[in-house]
Amino acid sequence: MSNAVVQWQFLARDPEAVSGFYSELFGWTVDRDNPLGYRRMTTHAPGGIDGGVWPSPPEGHSFVQLFIAVDDVASSAAKAVGLGATILVPPQKLPDGDEMAILLGPENVSFGLVKGRR
């Protein structure tokens, strides 16, 4: 696997405002029809990367997070920890069948590991 960046995600204090802003600005489609109510954003750009918006904790701040495709979320997370990362959200299977984990890497930059159900 190439370990490509396959998705981005805004974590936002006001996810409705953020998803509405980018939808209005760029014509991106917002879809909340999923088990978690995640705001999936489709850019409609050929070759582009789609993403989404998730609420930031009240004490948190807004930021962008990248998700990287891996063959095995748990082993990739373990390797990252061995290289100095910290696990924020442990490897887990999501209701839609995807697997993911979120880690804190160098310079306290968070990122996600993901394996699609396909």
Side-chain angles (χ1 to χ4, degrees), residues 73-74 92-94 96-101 113-117:
V73 172
Q92 58 192 267
K93 193 170 213 172
L94 300 173
D96 66 1
D98 290 351
E99 295 176 45
M100 64 143 252
L113 301 173
V114 65
K115 179 181 179 187
R117 64 187 176 278

Side-chain angles (χ1 to χ4, degrees), residues 31-79:
D31 176 15
R32 293 180 65 171
D33 186 23
N34 60 78
L36 298 174
Y38 184 72
R39 291 157 183 85
R40 291 182 183 147
M41 299 191 74
T42 304
T43 65
H44 307 287
I49 300 172
D50 295 331
V53 182
W54 189 252
S56 171
E59 69 282 356
H61 59 281
S62 299
F63 59 96
V64 175
Q65 199 169 53
L66 300 178
F67 283 83
I68 297 103
V70 296
D71 289 325
D72 185 318
V73 172
S75 67
S76 295
K79 182 177 181 180

